[in-house]
Amino acid sequence: MLMDSVTAGAEPGVQFPNGGGLPEQAPVPIGAGGWMVRAVRASPIEDTSVGVIQLLPQPSN
């Protein structure tokens, strides 16, 4: 599980709007193979959003 902070930022490679530098990044190694992706993004109020991504191993046929 990887969770992000509440610091505002548009993209991982884009400086924060207040000149605070680039967002911190943490690599998450995943194994080779097929993966199913489930994702959801919600913006309950203006200027606030959350996204959740889940990787599941693809079943073998």
Side-chain angles (χ1 to χ4, degrees):
M1 177 184 293
L2 175 66
M3 298 181 72
D4 191 14
S5 69
V6 295
T7 305
E11 298 291 333
V14 177
Q15 297 260 347
F16 287 120
N18 62 2
L22 292 172
E24 291 186 35
Q25 298 181 29
V28 178
I30 59 172
W35 294 89
M36 293 187 303
V37 178
R38 295 188 337 172
V40 64
R41 181 178 177 131
S43 295
I45 57 176
E46 188 176 343
D47 296 330
T48 303
S49 65
V50 63
V52 178
I53 300 171
Q54 182 181 28
L55 298 176
L56 300 167
Q58 190 169 5
S60 301
N61 290 346

